[in-house]
Amino acid sequence: MPYCENCGTEWNWGDSLKIGFTNNRKCSNCGDRQYVVPDNRLRTYLLTMLPLIILITASNYFDFSTQLTIAIAAVFFIIMMGVLPYTVKLSNKQKPLW
Ligand SMILES: [Zn+2]
């Protein structure tokens, strides 16, 4: 789990997951606004997008049913929800994505 750069408190799973989507969030301990470190964010996007692209390609190639594709995507989504908070790193300042 990520640590607040301001007060050093370890964030809980829920807050870490939310900042993964919103990119900034106030620390529940000190109230300081924290941002996701950009290179980390880029890696998370790649981690999310790559298996999805593989899934879509595979579903066309192997002729998966729509239900199966949705089921695999749903399982993948749940796994991502669990993993995402562990990949997040926090910073006091917002940095450009590139
Ligand atoms: Zn804090």
Side-chain angles (χ1 to χ4, degrees):
M1 295 296 168
Y3 291 87
C4 172
E5 202 176 76
N6 191 49
C7 67
T9 303
E10 187 177 18
W11 279 29
N12 63 37
W13 183 83
D15 283 340
S16 308
L17 181 66
K18 283 171 199 155
I19 200 174
F21 289 105
T22 58
N23 202 30
N24 72 83
R25 186 171 179 82
K26 276 182 181 168
C27 174
S28 58
N29 184 56
C30 65
D32 198 65
R33 193 164 288 277
Q34 294 291 296
Y35 300 91
V36 176
V37 175
D39 69 301
N40 190 276
R41 195 170 159 80
L42 192 66
R43 200 173 63 210
T44 308
Y45 277 133
L46 289 174
L47 259 165
T48 319
M49 290 315 292
L50 204 65
L52 275 179
I53 292 163
I54 293 166
L55 173 66
I56 291 160
T57 310
S59 71
N60 285 325
Y61 189 79
F62 295 109
D63 202 23
F64 288 174
S65 67
T66 309
Q67 289 93 326
L68 183 63
T69 308
I70 290 167
I72 295 169
V75 169
F76 174 72
F77 190 71
I78 291 161
I79 293 166
M80 277 310 297
M81 291 289 104
V83 171
L84 195 70
Y86 295 95
T87 69
V88 168
K89 280 195 171 63
L90 302 174
S91 170
N92 281 336
K93 289 193 176 68
Q94 187 164 27
K95 292 162 190 157
L97 192 59
W98 299 101

